[in-house]
Amino acid sequence: MFSFQLLVVLSSATTLACAAPTSRDSACDTSEAVMDLPTNQTALVSPSTAPLYVALGVGIQNYSCSSTTAAYSSIGAVASLFDLSCLDQTSGFANIQTTAFNLWSAAPASLVASSVGGQVGAPNLLGYHYFVIGPSGSLSPEWDFTSTGTNAGNSSAFVIGAKVGDIASPTAPSTDVDWLALNDVEGSLASKIFRIDTVGGQPPTSCVAGSADISVKYTAKYYLY
Ligand SMILES: *[C@@H]1O[C@H](CO)[C@@H](O)[C@H](O)[C@H]1NC(C)=O
Ligand SMILES: *[C@@H]1O[C@H](CO)[C@@H](O)[C@H](O)[C@H]1NC(C)=O
Ligand SMILES: *[C@@H]1O[C@H](CO)[C@@H](O)[C@H](O)[C@H]1NC(C)=O
């Protein structure tokens, strides 16, 4: 009796939170999701279709220190990607990148990126973001859903991107990494990828030549179309 009642409660809660489940890993409908982009720029243009996925990224940006210019340059990133499709303004969607960053940046070493989503109301892990050698032979960003959720075992569920648009963070460009638009160059998970609403991730403006690589924590929203 008890477990029957519990099931009823759980299933009605699920129905309320997830009005229109899709066959994809997104637990809820993304058809109304729209990126909030600055209007004073043309480098990032929202597609006219709805996104396939809206994700919170939690991870690190890696940099190496140039021995000649004493400046940091990007050598990749690693992040966990959490489904945001079931969140709306009342459940913290607008500021989730800040909520997650505050937790992530203050975290002890024992807190791993893949557990942050569960602490900010976005427990559904869609996949991972990291860098690989892409089809052009250069280090390229990948979004990989092949080992998670309903895509587990689907070797096509990834996308490697090439950057086609880049703007400084509209709010804090010295601390928050740029907002980006990328096009698919390999894989069939998505044809366009956007990184927006970034928090953190920028390296210090200079470094002592010869110093070791660094990792800088960041969060962002990723929209996959
Ligand atoms: C980034 O740095 C971390 C160590 O801080 C390392 O584990 C990871 O493999 C690095 N990833 C890339 C893409 O450089
Ligand atoms: C657009 O506006 C933002 C925020 O007001 C500002 O930081 C940025 O420099 C502006 N960008 C351009 C290209 O004018
Ligand atoms: C595998 O993933 C790709 C990319 O998301 C998708 O187009 C395809 O339908 C998936 N295949 C299966 C069997 O789910």
Side-chain angles (χ1 to χ4, degrees):
M1 177 60 104
F2 173 75
S3 48
F4 173 72
Q5 285 176 337
L6 185 65
L7 263 181
V8 170
V9 170
L10 280 176
S11 61
S12 54
T14 306
T15 306
L16 280 177
C18 304
T22 66
S23 58
R24 298 188 202 95
D25 268 4
S26 291
C28 299
D29 187 10
T30 56
S31 64
E32 302 294 318
V34 180
M35 287 189 289
D36 190 7
L37 295 173
T39 53
N40 64 347
Q41 56 84 38
T42 54
L44 270 52
V45 180
S46 182
S48 53
T49 54
L52 301 168
Y53 297 101
V54 180
L56 169 71
V58 178
I60 53 171
Q61 297 281 331
N62 287 354
Y63 298 93
S64 74
C65 179
S66 160
S67 56
T68 49
T69 61
Y72 283 110
S73 62
S74 174
I75 53 166
V78 189
S80 296
L81 302 170
F82 302 96
D83 182 19
L84 293 180
S85 67
C86 297
L87 278 73
D88 59 18
Q89 303 310 325
T90 58
S91 51
F93 175 83
N95 294 314
I96 196 164
Q97 65 280 357
T98 305
T99 312
F101 182 80
N102 290 343
L103 185 69
W104 179 223
S105 62
S110 57
L111 180 77
V112 292
S114 59
S115 70
V116 172
Q119 299 191 33
V120 296
N124 182 21
L125 183 67
L126 286 173
Y128 301 97
H129 169 50
Y130 52 86
F131 277 64
V132 293
I133 301 300
S136 65
S138 58
L139 195 62
S140 306
E142 173 166 344
W143 292 261
D144 178 356
F145 292 11
T146 63
S147 64
T148 39
T150 57
N151 276 312
N154 178 352
S155 60
S156 303
F158 75 96
V159 58
I160 296 175
K163 190 165 68 176
V164 293
D166 187 331
I167 61 169
S169 158
T171 47
S174 63
T175 57
D176 302 346
V177 284
D178 289 5
W179 294 19
L180 306 176
L182 306 99
N183 281 350
D184 172 28
V185 292
E186 192 176 330
S188 50
L189 185 67
S191 56
K192 291 178 183 294
I193 307 102
F194 291 80
R195 180 180 78 187
I196 70 170
D197 292 355
T198 55
V199 186
Q202 290 283 32
T205 49
S206 65
C207 55
V208 176
S211 56
D213 294 351
I214 59 166
S215 294
V216 184
K217 286 182 175 179
Y218 85 107
T219 60
K221 286 192 182 113
Y222 290 95
Y223 284 69
L224 277 61
Y225 293 86

